[in-house]
């Protein structure tokens, strides 16, 4: 059974590395993500994006090689080296640039926390396990026990990945909010700004542009069922304002919308979807 688990580690590591490389290689905001990481301080602002993309390319190449026979021993040793490198980078970030984004996986921005170290440590354990495999993952049919062990391992990776919170942790928190009625027994019918901010911070719209924001809440106003909240932002080195439309009387983070507007020209620089029309 342990041999089957070891052989399956190549699949687990490959999946994690493909996901990790995605945010470093795909999308219009790769440069902004790179500049929010400690790479900006480590290699310089001009080299941050190329270094960020290079790491993503290495991850993708290693992920592909782990899926192909027959030299899984060499590939698993490379995964061990990469895991050790991740731990070193996280340590450097935590000490030298604690406010920087991890830039570890996916396209979401997340700070370096104990979960980041836990995930990198688990990746190291998985790579060490893969190095002890005596056969490739495609050369034997795993039993139910081996599949169950790997499933638990995958769930640990998910639990340690802050970038995936929106898929399982945030829905649970949203359910809790709905069940506990956070606006019950308030002194008036006015919705506190903190409540709107709480909803905003848990929205996909906020996560999409978080790397571009340069201030806390700058202004806010209500129009009908919507509360508009603005932040100072930067888009392609242009001074801009990010405006969010947040449902005012209901908790629906998925309905939050955002637009980034150039401060000088008034041009809309970024708007994933149209802002809702106030009632």
């Amino acid at each position: 059974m342990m041999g089957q688990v070891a052989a399956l580690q190549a699949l687990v590591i490959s999946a994690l590395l493909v996901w990790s490389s995605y945010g470093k290689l795909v999308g219009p905001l790769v440069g902004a993500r790179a500049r929010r990481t400690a790479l900006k301080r480590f290699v310089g602002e001009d080299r941050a994006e190329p270094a960020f993309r290079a790491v993503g390319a290495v991850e993708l190449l290693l992920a592909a090689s782990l899926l192909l026979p027959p030299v899984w021993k060499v590939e698993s040793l490379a995964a061990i080296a990469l895991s050790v490198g991740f731990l070193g980078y996280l340590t450097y970030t935590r000490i030298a640039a604690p406010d920087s984004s991890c830039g570890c996986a996916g396209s979401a921005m997340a700070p370096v926390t104990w979960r980041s170290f836990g995930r990198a440590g688990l990746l190291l354990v998985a790579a060490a396990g893969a190095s002890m495999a005596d056969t490739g993952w495609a050369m034997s049919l795993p039993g139910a026990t081996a599949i169950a062990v790997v499933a638990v391992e995958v769930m640990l990776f998910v639990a340690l990945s802050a970038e995936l919170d929106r898929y399982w942790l945030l829905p649970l928190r949203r359910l809790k909010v709905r069940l506990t009625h956070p606006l019950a027994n308030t002194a008036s019918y006015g919705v506190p700004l903190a409540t709107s901010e709480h909803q905003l911070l848990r929205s996909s719209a906020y996560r999409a542009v978080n790397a571009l924001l340069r201030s806390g809440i700058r202004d806010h106003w209500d129009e009908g069922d919507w509360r508009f909240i603005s932040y100072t932002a930067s888009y392609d080195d242009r001074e801009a304002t990010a405006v969010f439309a947040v449902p005012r009387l209901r908790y629906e983070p998925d309905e939050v919308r955002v637009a980034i507007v150039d401060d000088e020209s008034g041009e809309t620089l970024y708007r994933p979807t149209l802002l809702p029309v106030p009632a």
Side-chain angles (χ1 to χ4, degrees):
M1 189 269 288
M2 293 308 297
Q4 293 176 346
V5 172
L8 289 174
Q9 295 307 301
L11 288 176
V12 176
I13 297 170
S14 293
L16 182 65
L17 292 181
V18 168
W19 173 51
S20 179
S21 68
Y22 174 82
K24 300 178 179 70
L25 299 174
V26 179
L29 300 179
V30 172
R33 293 183 200 121
R35 289 188 290 272
R36 287 292 299 271
T37 70
L39 287 174
K40 177 180 178 180
R41 181 166 181 169
F42 187 61
V43 301
E45 184 171 359
D46 293 339
R47 299 187 184 92
E49 182 177 352
F52 196 58
R53 290 183 180 275
V55 173
V58 170
E59 291 174 334
L60 188 60
L61 180 62
L62 181 55
S65 65
L66 281 166
L67 295 178
L68 301 175
V71 195
W72 63 86
K73 292 282 188 182
V74 174
E75 296 154 354
S76 58
L77 291 176
I80 291 175
L82 187 63
S83 302
V84 172
F86 284 158
L87 286 169
Y89 166 75
L90 292 173
T91 301
Y92 171 82
T93 300
R94 190 64 177 171
I95 295 174
D99 295 331
S100 298
S101 170
C102 175
C104 299
S107 58
M109 296 287 100
V112 174
T113 65
W114 67 269
R115 294 169 74 186
S116 308
F117 284 96
R119 181 173 57 192
L122 185 58
L123 178 62
L124 178 58
V125 171
S131 69
M132 294 185 288
D134 54 9
T135 184
W137 64 271
M139 298 179 185
S140 63
L141 185 64
T145 302
I147 293 175
V149 170
V150 172
V152 171
E153 181 183 5
V154 171
M155 287 189 288
L156 283 175
F157 271 119
V158 171
L160 291 171
S161 298
E163 300 88 348
L164 294 177
D165 284 353
R166 57 178 168 167
Y167 296 110
W168 67 279
L169 185 58
L170 292 183
L172 289 178
R173 289 175 175 171
R174 196 172 301 161
L175 177 61
K176 179 182 177 182
V177 168
R178 287 174 176 172
L179 293 176
T180 55
H181 304 294
L183 297 181
N185 301 317
T186 54
S188 69
Y189 291 105
V191 179
L193 177 61
T195 300
S196 298
E197 183 182 19
H198 180 275
Q199 180 174 189
L200 170 62
L201 295 178
R202 282 151 181 80
S203 67
S204 58
Y206 181 85
R207 290 191 296 274
V209 301
N210 182 33
L212 307 178
L213 303 184
R214 298 292 181 266
S215 74
I217 294 177
R218 193 176 73 184
D219 193 11
H220 66 92
W221 64 95
D222 295 342
E223 293 186 24
D225 292 335
W226 298 93
R227 171 163 289 168
F228 293 84
I229 300 176
S230 68
Y231 292 75
T232 299
S234 176
Y235 190 92
D236 288 340
D237 297 323
R238 298 164 68 175
E239 294 183 358
T241 297
V243 181
F244 294 89
V246 183
R248 188 170 63 90
L249 301 176
R250 62 191 189 281
Y251 188 86
E252 294 289 348
D254 291 339
E255 292 191 16
V256 174
R257 299 292 183 264
V258 63
I260 296 181
V261 181
D262 186 279
D263 284 346
E264 184 174 344
S265 66
E267 174 190 1
T268 299
L269 304 175
Y270 179 79
R271 182 171 55 187
T273 57
L274 293 176
L275 287 170
V277 178

